[in-house]
Amino acid sequence: MALESLPNPSLNLAQICKLDISNNHLQTIPESLTARLLNLIALDVHSNQIKALPNSIGCLSKLKILNVSGNFLVSLPKSIQHCRSLEELNANFNKLIRLPDSIGFELTNLRKLSVNSNKLISLPVSITHLTSLRVLDARLNCLMILPEDLENLINLEILNVSQNFQYLSALPSSIGLLMNLIELDVSYNKITSLPESIGCMRRLRKLSVEGNPLVSPPIEVMEQSLQVVREYLTQKMNGGSPKSPIKKKSWGFGKLVKYGTFNGGSRSWNREESEGFIMPEYRSIDSLASPRYSGMFSPRRLFSPRTYFSR
């Protein structure tokens, strides 16, 4: 509706459970508005021009879903930690340079945290206290380091810290203790060596490492199945001298599949390929979402309230 400000409604705001004011021209959200939305479960303000969230957002004790993506936020208010029912926080496509230091201490129900396409240099240490977290998406930032004690994220299944380009050069060894992790994407960083502890990740089904200057494991190992990579890292962790497997002749097609040239729809995949880090369903849109192509990814296109509130 191209709203630049919110009207003062006559209805009882305490009756509202879901509020969608996305895709407008709003620059602020009144403190008095959020303070009266006492029964709000889902708040969607994506694709506006908001520079700061009101401190009164901490009054939303029943809030489960918060979408503030596609705005101009530089930081999130510390009071957001009081939204203890929060399960999903989407703050993609903002200008965040930091997250509240204490964000992980109180949000014990948070299951999904998406902060991709921002300017984050690091993630707060308290994030390792998010024991209910299933998905952490921090790609396309300026991350230089990840917190230690990642093993505390006992329910984490998907971790994406790809496309931090020239900033992220190493992974903590604790990343291999994420025993429930299914997908790990560290592609397009500056990582030269994978932690040997990754060999312990038995539930891992997808490992994306392309676009890194990897030295260990060597390329002839990384071009094999995920199982081969795990065995190599396990042998190295146990103090052995792992031998690089003989590289199978691929006649050039393996490289094309790896970079998503084919969608894999016309052939059947064997078990080694389907369980390896070279996946037929690899989506090349991640590699396109770099600063060079950022104009193609307008938040107004990417975030749809129809799908967001589908539940």
Side-chain angles (χ1 to χ4, degrees), residues 20-71:
D20 182 356
I21 48 178
S22 62
N23 288 294
N24 281 291
H25 298 162
L26 300 174
Q27 296 185 16
T28 60
I29 300 176
E31 292 274 359
S32 58
L33 175 67
T34 49
R36 291 183 290 166
L37 295 167
L38 300 180
N39 290 304
L40 199 65
I41 296 176
L43 175 61
D44 189 351
V45 298
H46 81 261
S47 300
N48 278 285
Q49 301 171 20
I50 300 171
K51 297 181 180 180
L53 295 177
N55 287 321
S56 58
I57 199 167
C59 299
L60 305 180
S61 60
K62 297 182 180 180
L63 191 66
K64 292 185 177 181
I65 301 174
L66 176 61
N67 188 351
V68 296
S69 57
N71 283 285

Side-chain angles (χ1 to χ4, degrees), residues 24 32 47 102 104 117 119 126 163 181 237-238 250 273 290:
N24 281 291
S32 58
S47 300
S102 57
S117 306
K119 299 180 180 180
S126 68
Q163 300 176 77
L181 203 67
M237 181 172 54
N238 292 332
S250 62
E273 290 171 321
S290 62

Side-chain angles (χ1 to χ4, degrees), residues 95-133:
K95 297 182 178 181
L96 295 174
I97 58 176
R98 65 182 181 277
L99 295 176
D101 290 336
S102 57
I103 191 171
F105 292 136
E106 301 292 340
L107 300 182
T108 55
N109 291 305
L110 195 65
R111 298 167 60 89
K112 183 177 182 179
L113 176 60
S114 297
V115 289
N116 76 61
S117 306
N118 282 285
K119 299 180 180 180
L120 296 172
I121 296 176
S122 64
L123 298 174
V125 175
S126 68
I127 209 169
T128 60
H129 290 260
L130 298 173
T131 54
S132 296
L133 200 64

Side-chain angles (χ1 to χ4, degrees), residues 22-218:
S22 62
N23 288 294
N24 281 291
H25 298 162
L26 300 174
Q27 296 185 16
T28 60
I29 300 176
E31 292 274 359
S32 58
L33 175 67
T34 49
R36 291 183 290 166
L37 295 167
L38 300 180
N39 290 304
L40 199 65
I41 296 176
L43 175 61
D44 189 351
V45 298
H46 81 261
S47 300
N48 278 285
Q49 301 171 20
I50 300 171
K51 297 181 180 180
L53 295 177
N55 287 321
S56 58
I57 199 167
C59 299
L60 305 180
S61 60
K62 297 182 180 180
L63 191 66
K64 292 185 177 181
I65 301 174
L66 176 61
N67 188 351
V68 296
S69 57
N71 283 285
F72 300 136
L73 298 175
V74 176
S75 63
L76 298 176
K78 184 178 179 181
S79 61
I80 200 171
Q81 67 181 356
H82 299 306
C83 300
R84 294 184 177 89
S85 298
L86 199 61
E87 296 179 359
E88 295 184 19
L89 173 57
N90 185 341
N92 301 331
F93 292 95
N94 277 284
K95 297 182 178 181
L96 295 174
I97 58 176
R98 65 182 181 277
L99 295 176
D101 290 336
S102 57
I103 191 171
F105 292 136
E106 301 292 340
L107 300 182
T108 55
N109 291 305
L110 195 65
R111 298 167 60 89
K112 183 177 182 179
L113 176 60
S114 297
V115 289
N116 76 61
S117 306
N118 282 285
K119 299 180 180 180
L120 296 172
I121 296 176
S122 64
L123 298 174
V125 175
S126 68
I127 209 169
T128 60
H129 290 260
L130 298 173
T131 54
S132 296
L133 200 64
R134 261 68 172 177
V135 178
L136 175 56
D137 183 359
R139 57 187 156 149
L140 279 163
N141 278 283
C142 304
L143 293 177
M144 301 178 68
I145 190 172
L146 297 181
E148 294 290 344
D149 300 326
L150 289 177
E151 69 271 16
N152 293 331
L153 300 176
I154 56 176
N155 288 301
L156 194 65
E157 296 177 349
I158 299 175
L159 175 59
N160 192 335
V161 290
S162 65
Q163 300 176 77
N164 284 279
F165 299 103
Q166 299 301 311
Y167 301 98
L168 188 61
S169 59
L171 299 173
S173 59
S174 59
I175 201 168
L177 300 177
L178 295 171
M179 294 305 175
N180 284 310
L181 203 67
I182 298 173
E183 295 184 16
L184 175 59
D185 192 343
V186 296
S187 57
Y188 297 99
N189 287 301
K190 204 176 180 180
I191 299 169
T192 57
S193 178
L194 293 181
E196 298 165 7
S197 58
I198 288 180
C200 301
M201 303 173 72
R202 299 304 173 191
R203 292 198 65 194
L204 193 65
R205 290 294 176 265
K206 182 176 180 181
L207 174 63
S208 300
V209 298
E210 64 271 16
N212 283 287
L214 273 180
V215 175
S216 176

